[in-house]
Amino acid sequence: IQRVLIDKDNKRIDIILSEENLSKAIGRRGQNVRLATKLMNFEINIMTDQEDSERRQTEFKEKTENFVKNLELDETLGQLLVAEGFSSIDDIKDSTVEALIKIEGIEEDTAKELIDRAKEYHQKDLEEISKKIKDLGLENDLINHKGLTPGMLVTLGEQNILKLSDFADLASDELTRSFD
């Protein structure tokens, strides 16, 4: 094993191996990785260095494009933010001017503008989600049910689960499939 990356929030483990050890880790017809997945109750992804490098490059590009498109930044600034560990617009929205100006090339005015743009985007996104929930016709009892996020409500509405009783009638495997 060359590297193991554990994402506890998403219950995912990425295992990066050399090409010659890949087949041993996976096992015949995937039996080793399937057993480990069941035992640990985590999704396990086994990949080579090359696949991991390609995945990281793709993630870097997608995060940069998100910043460029939604915050109207030039590509260089978007790349700089991603390289410094900012993964989402929420990361910038929740950041401080002080944290942003520690990045070489970002001045105080730029930091303030970045945070303002991220907050504006976040607010606009919340408004769009609220409108979508309303347009889908979800009932207030379901909308106000504790523990359901706006994103979950949109997913439920898109699956024609509009009332609290519809939600309550779901079996656990149906519920899990709804959010996959």
Side-chain angles (χ1 to χ4, degrees), residues 89-90 93-94 118-134 149-151 153-154:
I89 293 173
D90 280 348
K93 174 185 71 71
D94 297 336
K119 286 179 179 177
E120 286 173 23
Y121 175 84
H122 179 75
Q123 186 60 39
K124 188 171 71 173
D125 194 43
L126 286 177
E127 289 168 5
E128 287 175 9
I129 289 172
S130 293
K131 183 183 181 318
K132 190 165 191 169
I133 289 169
K134 183 180 176 192
T149 66
L153 291 169
V154 169

Side-chain angles (χ1 to χ4, degrees), residues 132 136 138 151-162:
K132 190 165 191 169
L136 287 167
L138 276 77
M152 290 175 175
L153 291 169
V154 169
T155 301
L156 291 170
E158 288 172 342
Q159 306 221 359
N160 208 31
I161 300 163
L162 307 175

Side-chain angles (χ1 to χ4, degrees), residues 5-155:
L5 308 168
I6 301 173
D7 182 347
K8 292 180 183 177
D9 295 333
N10 294 320
K11 297 190 80 161
R12 191 179 88 214
I13 299 173
D14 293 337
I15 300 174
I16 295 86
L17 302 168
S18 61
E19 188 74 45
E20 56 271 1
N21 291 322
L22 192 62
S23 63
K24 292 176 194 170
I26 294 171
R28 188 179 317 163
R29 294 189 304 267
Q31 69 186 13
N32 293 349
V33 75
R34 274 197 316 274
L35 177 60
T37 297
K38 285 182 181 180
L39 288 172
M40 297 186 70
N41 196 27
F42 269 64
E43 175 189 341
I44 298 176
N45 299 311
I46 297 178
M47 61 189 87
T48 63
D49 268 334
Q50 178 66 31
E51 291 168 331
D52 180 50
S53 175
E54 289 168 5
R55 179 185 55 86
R56 283 186 285 129
Q57 287 175 6
T58 300
E59 285 177 3
F60 188 90
K61 184 178 177 189
E62 288 170 353
K63 290 173 185 175
T64 299
E65 287 173 356
N66 179 36
F67 292 154
V68 168
K69 177 184 170 204
N70 295 310
L71 298 180
E72 299 176 14
L73 306 179
D74 68 16
E75 189 169 355
T76 303
L77 182 53
Q79 290 173 344
L80 180 61
L81 289 166
V82 175
E84 290 293 329
F86 290 89
S87 297
S88 69
I89 293 173
D90 280 348
D91 288 348
I92 295 169
K93 174 185 71 71
D94 297 336
S95 187
T96 63
V97 171
E98 293 76 23
L100 288 169
I101 62 174
K102 287 181 182 175
I103 300 170
E104 189 174 334
I106 296 183
E107 304 294 325
E108 187 173 342
D109 289 344
T110 304
K112 288 177 182 175
E113 181 66 22
L114 282 169
I115 293 170
D116 287 345
R117 287 185 189 187
K119 286 179 179 177
E120 286 173 23
Y121 175 84
H122 179 75
Q123 186 60 39
K124 188 171 71 173
D125 194 43
L126 286 177
E127 289 168 5
E128 287 175 9
I129 289 172
S130 293
K131 183 183 181 318
K132 190 165 191 169
I133 289 169
K134 183 180 176 192
D135 292 347
L136 287 167
L138 276 77
E139 291 187 357
N140 283 334
D141 286 348
L142 183 58
I143 292 170
N144 297 324
H145 187 68
K146 185 179 178 183
L148 293 178
T149 66
M152 290 175 175
L153 291 169
V154 169
T155 301

